[in-house]
Amino acid sequence: MQHFPARLIKSLATSTSLPCTTTTLQELASAHPKGVARVVLKKGKTQLFKDGSPMVYSGAVDRIIGRPPPRTGDVVLVADGAEKPIGWGMYNSVSMFCVRLMQLDEESTRDCSCALNMGKLLETRINEAIELRKSLGLPSASTNAFRLVNSEGDRLSGLIIDIFGDVAVIASSAAWVEKYKAEIEACVGRISEINHINWRPSVEILKEEGLDVSNLKEANPSICPQRTKVMENGIFYAISLEGQKTGFYADQRENRQFISTISDDQKVLDICCYSGGFALNAARGGAVNVTGVDSSLDPPKLAPRKKVLQNASGMYRNLNSLAMQLTRRGGLLMTCSCSGAMTQSGTFLRILQGAASAAGRKITVIRDAGAACDHTIDPSYPEGKYLSNILLRVL
């Protein structure tokens, strides 16, 4: 069984932590050698962020106090209308998210070792993420593919770290993450099982963050192998580190395992199968016939050759069309997934209901699940609940 080291990662911060003799974030900021700019919120906007929402949008900001003004990637205070600090975070002069909050005032004063010190906070939060995954049994003898850091869910907004065996894939979607690349890689590199780090900047999102992405890939060269093998719930997969997302849909782990429990003696069609996770779990669960279909040319190369994984480029591109075709049959069990805005609004289920109605059928929901437990969610940021996996019965 693999285990991360129990010891805390040694401090990598280049600056000295502030002494914990002061009692407020205001006093900590006053003692900061470089000074800290202040982002002052509009009247009536403070409570949302005091309650924990991590993303301070530009429309909530009244004014910025600081000379010279803060630059993207700088540490700033976030203050109420009376200019009293409520927390601190990472500033962005261009993004719709003006500040990504990292600590509230109460947290900073309880333990000021991380206050206004992003390097130290990174070490602490990555260590906390390691310990949490250990408590969830990750990694284990049967699974070495999982999410170590899940952005807002692990209170490091814009940073995702997935572990695939001895490879750590770091996905960057915030300017501050790019600024602290060396510190992040140093923290991850100290995990004893990790031999390779693959840095994957989310180029389109980073454009919105105001970064010049023209030479971003050249600035982030990777010496990782293009492919690696991982194990999930006892099933081996070959994954592409240049593929979709970070290379593997680890968020579906528990949903794939559930499919294996209801597949005995069933015929299973896995649409948009990618590396064949649902199909392989169905086969392990005793399905008598399993077929995987994907519009991409690459996934079938990643799936085990012994399994039937057909390639059908462009097939079922339209969700309504797919649902219509499948819901014409009664007595059918369907499991469907979607991510993004449709998950939040319920649009996904309404599309399926509409398709069933048009086909003269009715559906009932048997199971409604989301991402695996290592994909932690901040309840103050419901947008982080991005995945919906629904098991339906077609009547």
Side-chain angles (χ1 to χ4, degrees), residues 131-297:
E131 294 303 314
L132 176 60
R133 272 60 180 188
K134 283 175 62 177
S135 72
L136 297 174
L138 296 168
S140 70
S142 61
T143 298
N144 65 1
F146 62 97
R147 179 148 295 180
L148 177 61
V149 172
N150 192 44
S151 195
E152 292 82 16
D154 286 289
R155 307 193 64 201
L156 289 170
S157 177
L159 174 64
I160 284 175
I161 304 174
D162 280 348
I163 304 296
F164 301 136
D166 69 343
V167 178
V169 179
I170 302 174
S172 160
S173 60
W176 78 262
V177 177
E178 291 294 320
K179 179 176 180 178
Y180 284 85
K181 180 189 175 192
E183 290 86 344
I184 294 167
E185 288 186 326
C187 286
V188 175
R190 290 183 179 232
I191 299 172
S192 59
E193 285 81 7
I194 299 303
N195 294 319
H196 304 283
I197 295 176
N198 185 23
W199 189 275
R200 289 191 61 162
S202 302
V203 173
E204 293 305 314
I205 298 176
L206 291 174
K207 284 181 183 178
E208 297 175 5
E209 288 276 299
L211 293 190
D212 179 5
V213 299
S214 58
N215 63 346
L216 201 55
K217 289 187 176 181
E218 289 75 11
N220 294 292
S222 174
I223 58 173
C224 278
Q226 291 185 346
R227 293 185 179 178
T228 190
K229 290 183 180 180
V230 299
M231 181 168 56
E232 179 191 86
N233 295 324
I235 297 176
F236 287 94
Y237 298 85
I239 67 172
S240 170
L241 296 175
E242 298 177 345
Q244 298 175 22
K245 295 189 76 175
T246 56
F248 186 66
Y249 287 82
D251 51 4
Q252 294 277 19
R253 180 178 61 257
E254 293 164 8
N255 298 321
R256 288 190 283 256
Q257 186 175 34
F258 177 78
I259 285 296
S260 70
T261 68
I262 61 170
S263 297
D264 187 41
D265 204 33
Q266 301 295 314
K267 294 181 179 180
V268 176
L269 172 63
D270 185 3
I271 301 290
C272 302
C273 66
Y274 195 51
S275 52
F278 283 96
L280 296 177
N281 276 272
R284 186 176 66 173
V288 295
N289 183 282
V290 180
T291 300
V293 178
D294 199 281
S295 61
S296 170
L297 292 175

Side-chain angles (χ1 to χ4, degrees), residues 6 21-22 56 67 69 76 83 102 110 127 153 155 177 179 208 212 220 233 243-244 296 324 345 376 395:
T21 56
T22 51
V56 179
R67 290 290 180 270
V76 295
E83 300 183 8
M102 292 296 163
R110 278 198 307 268
N127 266 295
R155 307 193 64 201
V177 177
K179 179 176 180 178
E208 297 175 5
D212 179 5
N220 294 292
N233 295 324
Q244 298 175 22
S296 170
M324 280 282 291
S345 64
T376 48
L395 304 172

Side-chain angles (χ1 to χ4, degrees), residues 15-93:
S15 59
T16 303
S17 297
L18 295 171
C20 292
T21 56
T22 51
T23 57
T24 67
L25 189 55
Q26 170 71 57
E27 291 171 322
L28 291 169
S30 298
H32 198 279
K34 294 183 179 180
V36 184
R38 195 168 309 207
V39 175
V40 181
L41 300 172
K42 292 178 179 177
K43 183 179 180 180
K45 299 295 184 181
T46 302
Q47 195 60 45
L48 173 66
F49 306 109
K50 290 182 76 172
D51 288 342
S53 180
M55 310 291 271
V56 179
Y57 53 95
S58 57
V61 175
D62 180 61
R63 61 191 183 276
I64 298 173
I65 301 173
R67 290 290 180 270
R71 296 180 297 176
T72 293
D74 283 354
V75 168
V76 295
L77 294 173
V78 176
D80 61 19
E83 300 183 8
K84 179 183 177 182
I86 65 165
W88 69 272
M90 306 307 292
Y91 180 72
N92 191 303
S93 62

